[in-house]
Amino acid sequence: MFKAKNRLGLVFFPAFDWAISSTHPEREERLLYTQDQIFEEGIEDIDGIHFYNPIVAEERDIERVHFCVPDVKTRLTKSHFISVGGAIRAFKSIMDGEVDKAFALVRPPGHHAHRVVYGDRGFCVVNVEAVMLEKIRQEYGDLRVAIVDTDCHHGDGTQDIYWNDKDTLFISFHQDGRTLYPGTGFMDEFGGPSGYGYNINIPLPPGTGNEGFLYVLDNVVLPILDEYKPDIIINSAGQDNHYTDPITNMNFTAKGYAELNHRLDPDIAVLEGGYSIEGALPYINLGIILAMAGIDYSHVMEPDYDEEKLRQPMDITEYIKELSDTVYDRWKNRYELSRHNLKDTDVVERSRQIFYDTDRILEEQTQRFRVCRHCSGLNTVESRSSTGYNIFGITIPRDACSKCIDDGHKLYKNTPSGRYSNIYLQDRVNDEFFK
Amino acid sequence: MIVGLDMGGTHIDGVIVEDGKIINTVKKPTNRDNLFESIWTTLEELLSGYDKSNIRRINLSTTVSTNAIVEGKTSPVGMIIQSGPGLPTDFLACGDENVFISGYIDHRGTVVKELDLEEVERGLKLFKEKGIESCGVVTKFSTRNPSHELVIKEMAEKDFNPVTMGHSMSGKLNFPRRVYTSYLNSAVYDTFNEFADNIKKSMEREGIDAPLFVLKADGGTMNLSTAEEKPVETILSGPAASFMGINAMLKTDRDALLLDIGGTTTDIFFLADGIPLFEPLGIKIDRYKTLVRAIYSYSIGLGGDSSIKVEDGKLKIGPKREGRPYAFGGPMPTPTDAMIVLDLIEDGDRDKAHKAMDILGKELGLSIEDVAKKVLDTMGGIIKHEVDGLLYEINSHPVYTVEELLYGKEVQPEVINIIGGPAKVLKPILEEKFKLPCHYPENYHIANAVGAALAKTTTEITMVADTARGILSVPELEVYEKISRHYTLDSARDRALQLLEESALSLGAKEDELELEVTEESVFNMVRGFFTSGQNIRIKAQVKPGLIQELRSDRVV
Ligand SMILES: [Zn+2]
Ligand SMILES: [Zn+2]
């Protein structure tokens, strides 16, 4: 066999004994054909590619990121702890210098899981990337990180978790929310007061193909990353932009995914969605593995690939060019936009309804972000669910000043317990969780 | 009587076992230029004075194929390879001529693009022009659908022999390994068959009509006619012979560490609940990773004759052997010299052994005796260190289910069984290092031949039953049968065991010695759209490697 240019760590955990239900897209079969393809290609024999088993994440790893209601044990299955643990293991293999890059092929996915968790939405319960990243930050120190969400659905959970964090740049390109679940991910969702401009959405029209995706990558994502200069780039690697995906309407290909990963050059990729399990996943995953390992991926192709049929129409190309200009201009003007929007405010309030499609739960929440001159600012969430909970969550951010830390603890102590079914405090400075 | 012959690099050992007792043994040097001659003279000497009609079977472990590969004395092979989309292909070129053809089959076994017969014809013509007579034909996912390999074989058969087809080598998925395995099978085919013909003729001449079995790297045997078709299965059976020998002489049903400590190397093996650990996919020979099933074995450059140096104030033993021990006129101090100094061995020149330890002692500022003790302690330390590393790797092998990840079996040896010259000396040291009981047999020097003699016939199958396509396949048996949409895991399991038994019998197994087991099974609900379209059932089953009869006479220490 030959040698990979980049040492690549793979956590391949198909969870062959776990499903949301036996006919649900998140079922045992999902990575079966991907495994067949990886095995038949002899990936495990390539010099420089290493396979790792997941570790099992701990409750406190979840609590560092989420307010699980009523608690972590009630909301998560063993598979969730392993899926997250798989991503953590992959990230560790980079941090410990075992490999140069890593790809965690784990399930279930996580990018629709918000900070508050009442149940499963968009097949996600815990946010795999966020729990992974915060665990790594806790163990290895602060990192400036860019998460690029390449799933076809808007990564609304990841956006929510890093909404107010300018040290975690979140870029999501996805099928326009007016045409697809979860219905969010528009340009004006630009971040909280401390992270304004560091949450970037690029809603793409249905029918976007290789040309469009790579245009956005080259003209928006890569220039922004160049300026942002992250320590680590994470690809939140959903595969449902594929032209055969049953629940979306895009025209991306396996070779396109490989090319994207080659150009984006992420340090770590984590599998998100993607439900064309036979016609797409085996080829996309192979393409991503080869691209990340620095191996020629030009022979990767789907059985029914037809270049002509997948060519992107002119009007879509034009639309995407204009969109890209707008998004990039907004990034360039983020300080001005921020000054304009946040003039003289002490607290920014944001109220939303969140629907849990998988578990049929409706949540109403109000977040309050304190605008603090010394740190990202204390923030809180008040939330009630159709399942009868009524919670109050307080987050002291990683970079909190001493006043915000003190105020956070005071607020936790002084909030009358009778007013809420559950009160939580995340103290990220001291890595403590109170419930 | 059962006859066991083990052909090693330097010696051929022969034993006769009757009713669990070793009744005769012979040791002869190997003549590498005439392996058949070496075997035959050993066999003749071993059998002289015994009634040849009492021989129930002859089990032979041979290096014929291994040597041909390692020494590059193989036949030229023309490879026809259909690689389809995926990885780059140039690294697959292992034959003397390699023709890459178009067409492809996907992971479900669907023909996506048809064969181009003209391409195949052109390839075969090229082989003929180059004077190539042996072929290998391998297509990606041929285990799922062998139709392209079968068509090409039919085209090649009239002009070429052998024509090895990838899917007949193994049912496991790994295209590059399938290419290399098929190549090697064709490459050693002539050499092995010539050897087999000689053996058959000589046996006939001498009136020996006992069945002849050949040892495989997985610790089992196959009959000669199977070996003639799949000679690649005979490679690297040496470690398997010693492994089976240790098991014959020291029986255990627990997790165990097995060591074969020789002059140059130490071979490391493991048992899990008394069952051998296998290489996950297959053994590596020369630069080829193959699908040839093999006992898991790891060899380190550490033995009684390993040379010892002092580096950075520390003893460095091995990995090289520079010659015989110092006490036997060799150039460098060795562990054997240390054993002589400590009166653990009576052989050799004691003065020279002292001198050897003195050289090391001066550098380390230790007395002769202390150095000798330190040498043995270091040897034990190296073994412990290596074994710990291997166990870590073994116990972190990839798993794919929640169940296995959380509750999977870990190999944790509870006993150490050793063979080899230094076994007796190292026993107390290893017991101390591992904190485990350690055993060695008295007759360790014939363990390999005993292992070969007592090895049972083994085989393994890989089954996929896809009820949506309506096909059940066991590629290595060339079984592709129709099944109904309602086929279940239970019916697949029954069919697998039935096919496995038939296969074992055809390899020469006796019905009463068969121990069949399912090693892996899973079933996946296949859903297309919103409805279940079928079941995807996967089963692996094997004949457990084991002993034809228990050894009764050997004393265990
Ligand atoms: Zn998605
Ligand atoms: Zn503050």
Side-chain angles (χ1 to χ4, degrees), chain A residues 119-136:
Chain A
D120 196 322
R121 57 189 305 278
F123 318 161
C124 306
V125 176
V126 274
N127 196 296
V128 179
E129 281 97 351
V131 174
M132 162 188 86
L133 175 56
E134 294 316 304
K135 167 91 170 178
I136 295 295

Side-chain angles (χ1 to χ4, degrees), chain A residues 347-364:
Chain A
V347 174
V348 172
E349 200 176 289
R350 184 185 188 221
S351 294
R352 294 181 296 163
Q353 277 196 344
I354 298 168
F355 183 56
Y356 290 64
D357 60 327
T358 313
D359 279 350
R360 324 293 297 170
I361 298 166
L362 190 65
E363 173 193 356
E364 288 186 54

Side-chain angles (χ1 to χ4, degrees), chain A residues 111-112 151-153 240 273-275:
Chain A
H111 75 149
H112 295 305
D151 190 278
C152 190
H153 300 91
D240 38 12
Y275 300 96

